[in-house]
Amino acid sequence: MSHNAYLPKLGRIAAIKDEVPGNRAIKTYQIEFVSGDGFEHDCGQCAMISVFGKGESMISIASAPHVTGYKQFSIMKTGRVTTALHDLNVGDIVGVRGPYGNKFPVKDWKGKNLVFIGGGVGLAPIWPVIQTALHHKGSYGKVSVFYGGRTSRDLMYKADLDKMREQADIHLSVDAKEDGWKEFVGFVPSNVKDKAPSPDNAIAITCGPPIMIKFVIQNLKELGFTDDNIYTTIENKMKCGIGKCGRCNVGKDYVCVNGPVYSWAALKELPPEY
Amino acid sequence: MANVQETAKDEPGFEPKIVAFLCKWCSSAGSDLAGVSRLQYPSNAVPITIMCSGSMSPMFVLSAFNKGADGVLVSGCHPGDCHYLKGNFYARRKIYLVQKLLQFIGLENDRFRMSWVSAAEGVKFAGVVDEFVKDVKKLGPQTRLKAKR
Amino acid sequence: MIDVAAIKAHAKALLEKGTVRAVIGYRNSTAGLLAEPFVFTGPESVDDLIYGPSCVQNLALYLVNDKKERAHHKSDDARPVAVVAKGCDARAITVLLQEKHFLREAIHVIGVSCEGTGVVDTKKLARKLGGKHAVEIDFDGGEAFAVTTADGVQSLPAAEIMAERCLECRGAHPQLADIAFGEAKTDRALHTPFQAVKHKMKEEQDNRWSFWARQFDRCLRCYACRSVCPMCYCEECVVDSIQFAVLPDTTAEEKANRIKWIERSPNRSESAMYHMVRAIHLAGRCIDCAECERVCPVNIPLRLLNTRLEMEAFETFDYNPGSDMNAPTLTSSFKDTDPNSFIR
Amino acid sequence: MTKTMAMEKMLNKADLAAWMGKLETHQLFAPMLEDEGVWNYAPVVKAADVALDQPNTVRPPKDFVFPQRETLYRFEQVRGEAPVLTETLPDPQPSVVFGVRPCDSRGLVRQDIVFTKEFDDPYFQGRRAKTIFVGQACKVPPSPNCFCNSVGGSPSSEDGLDLLMTELDGKYHVKAVTQRGADLLAKGGALFKEASASDKAAVAKAHESAKAHPQRPIKELGKVAGALKQNFDSKAWDEMAKACIGCGICTFLCPTCHCFDINDEVTCSSPCKGERVRTWDTCQFPDFTMHTSGHNPRETLGSRLRQRVCHKFQYFTENHDMPQCTGCGRCISLCPVGIDIVSVVERLGQP
Amino acid sequence: MTKRTGVFVCHCGNNIAATVDVARVAKEMGEVEGVIFSKDYVYMCSDPGQSTMANAIKDNKLDSVVVSCCSPTLHEKTFRDVTEEGGELNPYRCEIANIREQCAWVHKEKPKATEKALKITRAAIKRVQNNQSLTPIGVPVTRRVMVIGGGVAGIQAALDLANAGLQVVLVEKNPTVGGHMIQLSETFPTLDCSQCILSPKMVEVSKNKNIKLLTQAEVQEVSGFVGNFKVKVRQKAIYVDPEKCKICDDCAKVCPTVVPNEYDLNLTPRRAIFIPYAQAIPATYTLDESACLGLNPVVCGKCADVCEADAINYDMRPKTIVEEVGAIVVATGFDLYGKENLGEYGMGKYADVLDGLQFERLCSASGPTGGHVLRPSDHKEPKNVVFIQCAGSRDPESHCAYCSKICCMYTAKHATLYKHHVPDGQAYVFYIDIRSGGKGYEEFVQRSMERDEVMYLRGRVSKVYENNGSMIVKGVDTISGKNVEIEADMVVLALAMQPSKGTADVAKTLKIGRDKDGFLAEAHPKLRPVESVTAGIFLAGAAQAPKDIPETVCQASAAASKVIQLLSKDELMHSPAIAKVRLSHCTGCEMCVQACPYGAISLSGPNAKASVNDVLCEGCGTCQAVCLRAAIDVKNITQMQVHDMINACLGV
Ligand SMILES: Cc1cc2nc3c(=O)[nH]c(=O)nc-3n(C[C@H](O)[C@H](O)[C@H](O)COP(=O)(O)OP(=O)(O)OC[C@H]3O[C@@H](n4cnc5c(N)ncnc54)[C@H](O)[C@@H]3O)c2cc1C
Ligand SMILES: Cc1cc2nc3c(=O)[nH]c(=O)nc-3n(C[C@H](O)[C@H](O)[C@H](O)COP(=O)(O)OP(=O)(O)OC[C@H]3O[C@@H](n4cnc5c(N)ncnc54)[C@H](O)[C@@H]3O)c2cc1C
Ligand code: SF4
Ligand code: SF4
Ligand code: SF4
Ligand code: SF4
Ligand code: SF4
Ligand code: SF4
């Protein structure tokens, strides 16, 4: 059975945490493999989560590779499968197959300063990298995290971010003024520009809504980051996850296999169809 | 009728699955009256109460057959008695078209029926169901539009 | 005879004066005998405009597509778009106007009469020509087509190679037109309308089912039939969406609760459901351009299916789709005298 | 498939039926005329129905290895409990498909690449292993839109085939391309005669003259990919797609297209029972790339036409050094509105 | 989708439990996806049953409930109240599965009935799991009412409403209220004087502070909905200030133009400046613009010259008045069937062929002849008078198909009155049959036959023609089977009643329906006879159907009481189970707009998409079935829900 790439392994939901309420709610799931024969993954990789009867969705693995015992996923409720996922309870069983996609070249970044820039649910794909960098303290330079949402209610991993403040520079932002908000008010790219992280010996990793990424990259380049020091991930619609169904094809790449992680230099080579 | 040679379909133990769409104000009330009057009729028709026969989308009929209904019944208020004034007139036109289409593609005529049953016609309701179940029984299971599942 | 030069001149003048933003018409295709629909935007491009028996496609569809494209490009050019329309195309446009798909003033209809003929049926033509390939086809005065093959030009009686729908056409002269070319011939020899349907209706029901079952089995669900239909302009089809309708405020629940009336699997039951829903949705809207049947790659007789309810519309409800842009539609209206006896 | 030593035999046309008769271990398919005037592969019931010299089929033979609908597995789940998943790998009866045109067999070669690269596809491979493809060399192009010569093929290409048959007045020249082709030949035993030198020469000549038959040309295949890349932003894409109705004909019926969709078909909601199913899909449908949010990277007809053409002539070529088009001409002949891939490549794929 | 559904299966003592295995239903439903609580109980509707339910909802944090019991018409309200009050859950999260009337009571075999009960309940679960929480829509109301038409119906309604403390705007198109009743002489069956009983009411109308009277006015445009209508009324200029007018008749005396007086059905003349009759309300003269020699510029000006009160003002202009009201009563009354349609009876040809109303005027003391029945042609007393009933009624081929209901009675009255006026005359009545249902009516007719010796001839008149200066009425007496010819001095036709001329326009403006005969359509012929199909618009009087005065007054008071009921609260509560448009799918094709029986949908917004007026929508779902793209759905019975219910019924 094991060689059939379409057949998922079974995972039990061990914990669910509400991250963001509302119409586009986000929940974080810890899923452990039912029969222990799980898989290992690298930062940036994804997995196909199945709710049987509803379908499958590609979701970034939000836990770091060194975390064993479960895989973490932060999922935004947006359609058929994700809504079904949001309806599940702890103990319910889903299908998980993966890991899919390439990875962030984390090992190459040893000794460098890392600037993470996330928006909304886009913090999830880069979260394992942040965790890895902090886990191997000393191996990496300074870690700073820029993260923003429309309102403070839209920010996920808030408690974790707060805890992280001793180890990393955390710059949060909300789009509009809000009572009691003491940090930056404005869009994430502006926050980046405002704090102006140094490009020296630094890698910038960004993920979020396409429009945010566009301006973040623009601002990073103004700050002096070069194309091959900026990394991002792209999301194209996927069905098989293994480079066959043709859906995520962009140029010569199948994002599920050749992506989703791209340096800006590499991404520029692809047609802008993501 | 072509079904004559196919009487073999009339399986002895066959219990047709029938969906009956009843308008809330007349036919469903009529079925309530049949109940209050303790009239007996076969249990094959499972009622779904809708607001008005006018809200009967053709999709409901086709979907019921697709999901394996052996017969579909739509019942509403008599013309002129619609609780919503004229919903049943729209229904009449639409259902007529659906029926013609089903006949044309070759579904047996007796699998789809419409009736007017008022809130006072408990007896009629029981009769309509009784007759429909009998007619559908003769046809045997509906295989033409049913999805293979 | 249709004066193609006059059509061209008119189209050119419209574009030159800038009274319309584009002209939807036909040009020669590289792929075969049939013309290719095209959107002419510059006065020079009109040189490529053609008109003849190879202009089979219903251009009303391209008005629909044009609307979508304008929405995509957020175009604010408010000038009308011109469209070349045969009788059936004009009927389709009328239905679209009836359904408020566009404003009358947004369209300039260049009506073209089919006069005594119509458009070609390439399958009939191929049969007629045996092995030979036609490379060109044109009107040949009166009631014949001039067909060019490798052996030269020959004149064939149009009635023998014309599309079936044209032979039954009751409105070969566009009723809705801002300018009309060609004459409104009334003495066309017509086939009895709904002949094929009536013939099929006489068959035993079981035979009819085996006939349709075989058709449904063969359907690929490529949806060419739906894609080519000007009436299937829905943002999202209820049967099987190959396009979602989403607005920024559409909620996750709304997206998740899309009803799956049928599965995507091309099974008999699912395809039957697809075709029946389409037939029902076209009741009183199908104007018999027969494009669905023409485009089907596996020759499923969709015209036969869809005209069944057109026959009802016409004969039972005295309703002639595409004849009145101000009338209520067939299923959003009723008469006290509608048939009642089928109800028990 | 492993290549074997060329084995060439002759078969009397009249003996075709007899040979087929000896292949009862296999299910046989061949092009046949359906009632509605459409040529398609169908199971051989009477060998007499088999007509090999007809126009090419509407559906390409990819159906045999990549059917339009395939159940991937069944699931059954009681609320809150672990689901039971039942793998449903295909186990088809071995079959032989006759009358496969070289363009279509070359399509299989492209399918092979897709379904084996990176991850194996057990469904495809399971069927592929059980299906023998017997080719039929074209003497004249079966359609006016054929252009196999332009895309690296020929009317007598053996790529992807197990056997290649060529008709030579009253006889078939049959060449084994693979071992299993040879085995199939062997089953015919004495029905087959060794091909003589003159037979071989006649076949070569027939192939030669078929190849010389005029076809629609793509001039510089080697430069197409580069040119397409250059022209990515050209306005001509939109213009050429104006007539396109966005149906799936060109892609569904292309022998090389392989895109699919995966859906759950539920047969019972409580307990939840059903199948996970894959069905053909096409890049020409708007929802193909549309995100749930409504964002669609390829929203316009022009961008979808570009995807089809560039995928075939640029992206696939960049990855696998061959175009993902074998020149069968189906997409041209069957397109309802005359979108013509050759013209498109001529216009945007030439330096 | 809800996730914590509770199911309560009722035994109904033995009513359900005898035929349905309720324990099994409860058990199997507990296994359905999303159901976390399922229980059967002997009487769900009993107090302990209700508290079990309330507690279960709270204890298990249920977010939806199904009660599997009797018909929703019996206890839906009960269980929704429990859900809301005891369970603190939105009442629309509760649905009823009817397993008694539709199952237990109509089947005998327990296994089969149980199977069906399972399906019915499962379907209800599927439905409720997609129900939304809804709250009734509160609409603030304007506590004012418009009454259109100032006949006896309008007057009665206006007075009832005004006396209940509501503000009333009474709109009458003529210069005076009173309608047709004020033209009658005496009224059957008691023969009391029509003016004597109506005039005091008319005066009351003018005196009542709560009534604003707008005469010579017509409704032009209506917008809004129940509780909040905005009505545009156009009032003609009357060129006389009613406050100043002393009703001295000086002006009329000098007016040079003479035109027929409509009030007397053209049997008398009037001037261009006139008062229809002495008791007219409002009590003022009126200048009839169309008859006046000219006002712009003033051509004659005599009336103003003589008016000492200075009441005449030629500069008056028509006014458009906008009234905001919460409800509307339509009482636009009737007209007689046009005489031009009845040429065969010589109507319009011979001066002495009259219609009923003209005859009323001849009998009236205030009429053209001062109460003497005299022939219009020669002012002689007619000695042979033929009354023809059903003139234009009950004749589907050429005239009106319906029975005008009152003609039998008023013909008997006319014949009687005639005999009172001309005791030596002979009255003949041609009739088809006599319809005299009503208190004292049959006796009245009998009296006219017996005491007044009116000759009743059963049969139709084929023709009225002239012969040597006298009129011949030719007909058949179907009882004797003989042809009869009567030489008549006067013929009176009991013409059919038809809706008054303006009724069609009013109906259109108000968007209320009319029946096949053109009368205003009631919402339900039996149960809602005074309501129109549009919420907040009510009907009274002969505009709805032919009727006599008592019936008219009944209906007027009934309409008034309906209005009072409607406007008794500050807010109107409207069911929230109404249609909702999925804007993403709507293409604005207008099919739903055409089909909605309540005119509740209109196209709006930048892309002209459907939009439902929450207050007008009744939730019938007609739109839902008409829309091709499923772009409109009725809340809590959406297509999705029905789809799921179909599946549940079929075990899919
Ligand atoms: C590499 C990658 C990583 C992702 N990581 C996350 C994550 O960490 N958290 C998260 O909330 N979401 C993530 N997404 C997006 C997520 O896959 C979609 O939101 C989800 O598939 C929507 O499925 P649905 O069934 O709810 O929507 P529906 O619209 O009901 O489903 C339609 C189909 O479209 C596909 N689809 C729709 N939108 C997308 C999309 N944006 N991307 C891919 N497929 C789509 C789905 O496969 C689904 O089968 C990721 C997507 C990709 C490609
Ligand atoms: C010949 C005859 C004799 C009768 N005798 C008797 C009898 O003896 N006893 C009895 O009980 N009944 C009798 N009736 C019946 C009686 O006349 C009616 O029942 C009664 O008049 C109905 O009153 P109404 O207010 O509904 O209508 P109407 O009296 O017609 O009043 C309607 C009013 O509305 C006004 N109006 C119309 N359209 C508009 C508009 N668009 N805008 C504003 N105002 C408008 C009209 O001007 C009129 O004032 C008799 C009827 C006839 C014809
Ligand atoms: S065009 Fe033909 S094959 Fe394609 S979906 Fe329509 S009927 Fe089926
Ligand atoms: S079949 Fe119906 S819903 Fe689908 S596109 Fe056509 S009209 Fe729209
Ligand atoms: S792209 Fe067209 S010509 Fe090429 S293989 Fe596919 S269908 Fe044939
Ligand atoms: S190119 Fe032709 S076949 Fe392909 S999608 Fe467009 S219209 Fe259909
Ligand atoms: S019928 Fe449907 S698509 Fe048409 S206007 Fe109404 S809601 Fe919109
Ligand atoms: S539900 Fe009925 S009343 Fe409401 S908008 Fe639809 S058709 Fe009109």
Side-chain angles (χ1 to χ4, degrees), chain C residues 62 222 224 227-228, chain D residues 240-241 243-252 282-285 301 304-305 308 330-332 334-341:
Chain C
Y62 292 90
C222 64
S227 308
V228 83
Chain D
M240 282 181 303
C244 174
I245 60 170
C247 67
I249 292 179
C250 52
T251 34
F252 271 12
T282 150
C283 59
Q284 301 305 292
F285 286 167
L301 290 165
R304 299 201 287 271
L305 172 67
R308 173 162 75 96
R330 275 192 188 82
C331 59
I332 309 172
L334 296 172
C335 174
V337 292
I339 306 269
D340 174 354
I341 197 164

Side-chain angles (χ1 to χ4, degrees), chain B residues 62-138:
Chain B
L62 299 175
S63 180
F65 283 124
N66 178 272
K67 300 287 156 67
D70 299 306
V72 174
L73 176 70
V74 180
S75 190
C77 314
H78 288 269
D81 286 355
C82 177
H83 181 83
Y84 300 107
L85 318 167
K86 42 190 186 174
N88 55 355
F89 285 112
Y90 292 108
R92 182 170 68 180
R93 208 173 242 215
K94 251 185 313 244
I95 297 296
Y96 175 85
L97 292 169
V98 174
Q99 194 180 61
K100 290 289 171 239
L101 184 69
L102 286 168
Q103 289 173 0
F104 188 60
I105 63 119
L107 185 76
E108 300 92 333
N109 293 356
D110 276 335
R111 294 204 187 273
F112 180 47
R113 189 162 294 177
M114 184 171 188
S115 64
W116 299 136
V117 173
S118 77
E121 295 175 322
V123 175
K124 181 170 180 191
F125 182 80
V128 164
V129 174
D130 200 40
E131 198 184 313
F132 190 44
V133 171
K134 278 201 190 101
D135 289 345
V136 176
K137 261 197 184 157
K138 277 186 217 141

Side-chain angles (χ1 to χ4, degrees), chain C residues 68-118:
Chain C
K68 280 190 192 139
E69 196 154 320
R70 269 158 60 77
H72 175 78
H73 292 297
K74 301 194 175 65
S75 153
D76 55 4
D77 187 342
R79 286 177 299 161
V81 59
V83 59
V84 174
K86 306 182 284 292
C88 44
D89 303 18
R91 288 201 299 279
I93 298 170
T94 307
V95 175
L96 291 167
L97 289 169
Q98 190 182 4
E99 296 175 6
K100 313 286 175 295
H101 204 52
F102 350 83
L103 299 173
R104 177 65 185 91
E105 53 274 23
I107 305 161
H108 176 92
V109 181
I110 307 176
V112 188
S113 174
C114 286
E115 298 189 330
T117 60

Side-chain angles (χ1 to χ4, degrees), chain C residues 30-31 37 61-62 69 72 214-215 218 220 222 227 242-244 255 260 263-266 294-295 299, chain D residues 34-36 59 68-69 242-243 245 248 261 264-265 281 285-287 290 292 299-300 336-337 340 343:
Chain C
T30 51
L61 172 73
Y62 292 90
E69 196 154 320
H72 175 78
R214 199 171 71 239
Q215 307 304 331
R218 297 165 58 240
L220 286 163
C222 64
S227 308
I242 55 167
Q243 169 162 341
F244 309 151
K255 294 184 216 163
K260 254 176 141 190
E263 303 293 354
R264 202 162 196 172
S265 294
R294 180 186 69 83
V295 302
N299 293 4
Chain D
E34 293 179 3
D35 295 8
E36 285 69 22
R59 295 175 79 111
Q68 189 170 357
R69 176 190 193 277
K242 277 280 188 236
I245 60 170
D261 192 7
D264 285 5
E265 294 187 355
D281 202 350
F285 286 167
D287 80 329
M290 188 177 180
T292 317
E299 192 166 3
T300 58
V337 292
D340 174 354
S343 311

